[in-house]
Amino acid sequence: MWFEKDYVANYIRERISADRYSVYPGVNDEEQKYDADVIIVDKRSRTLIFCQVKHCSTTLHPHLRDETKEYFNNDEIRHGLFQIKRLRELIAAAGVLTRVRQSLGNKRLTAEDLGSRARFMLIHTIESLDFCTSEGVAMYEWNTLRNLLKGSAGF
């Protein structure tokens, strides 16, 4: 839980340029079954990135096919994808808007703004599976995302 709830948000807050990115507490509703651990705001594009974060420590396997199988069958990843996709389905709902406004401290945010500016991401720790998508949800390995946010990813 330390990685999901504290580490990512604190890292972005302390080590990523505040000129470009801000990080806020996520939003969740157990009854509605959605959860975002953190919200990253890209100030340049005015994008709100709702992030579900999963730390997977048992995914290192000797063969890529085994890691791929683990990735697609990993209950934590599947659950995280379900939660963030559920948030995407409900993003324009009044209850979600209220929670996002509270988290961001932005009372003027409208449902239309939220619908057009929201992006959804699953941040994970599976090293060999990166730059993936699942039904429109971006999935990044934490080290890659961290370097992208810092502007120091090399290809």
Side-chain angles (χ1 to χ4, degrees), residues 90-108:
L90 299 171
I91 199 67
V96 174
L97 180 60
T98 300
R99 284 185 173 87
V100 173
R101 282 177 173 164
Q102 289 171 345
S103 180
L104 300 178
N106 183 348
K107 304 297 182 206
R108 293 180 292 164

Side-chain angles (χ1 to χ4, degrees), residues 111-119:
E112 293 79 25
D113 289 338
L114 189 54
S116 66
R117 294 170 46 197
R119 304 295 180 269

Side-chain angles (χ1 to χ4, degrees), residues 42-151:
D42 182 339
K43 295 175 186 177
R44 187 177 303 160
S45 66
R46 300 184 64 223
T47 302
L48 305 171
I49 307 166
F50 293 86
C51 303
Q52 176 58 232
V53 182
K54 293 297 179 189
H55 183 265
C56 305
S57 59
T58 60
T59 59
L60 294 177
H61 297 283
H63 301 286
L64 179 60
R65 73 174 179 267
D66 297 325
E67 286 194 24
T68 304
K69 183 179 177 183
E70 172 69 26
Y71 181 72
F72 289 109
N73 294 314
N74 184 297
D75 288 337
E76 287 182 52
I77 295 291
R78 291 172 59 185
H79 183 65
L81 284 170
F82 172 81
Q83 291 175 307
I84 203 72
K85 288 175 188 177
R86 182 72 177 140
L87 176 58
R88 184 180 61 194
E89 292 171 9
L90 299 171
I91 199 67
V96 174
L97 180 60
T98 300
R99 284 185 173 87
V100 173
R101 282 177 173 164
Q102 289 171 345
S103 180
L104 300 178
N106 183 348
K107 304 297 182 206
R108 293 180 292 164
L109 184 69
T110 67
E112 293 79 25
D113 289 338
L114 189 54
S116 66
R117 294 170 46 197
R119 304 295 180 269
F120 304 90
M121 179 183 298
L122 178 81
I123 302 169
H124 61 78
T125 55
I126 302 174
E127 295 175 6
S128 63
L129 295 162
D130 210 355
F131 295 103
C132 301
T133 61
S134 174
E135 299 176 40
V137 174
M139 296 184 283
Y140 286 97
E141 191 273 332
W142 166 241
N143 292 309
T144 300
L145 179 64
R146 180 188 69 206
N147 286 331
L148 288 170
L149 294 172
K150 290 167 72 175

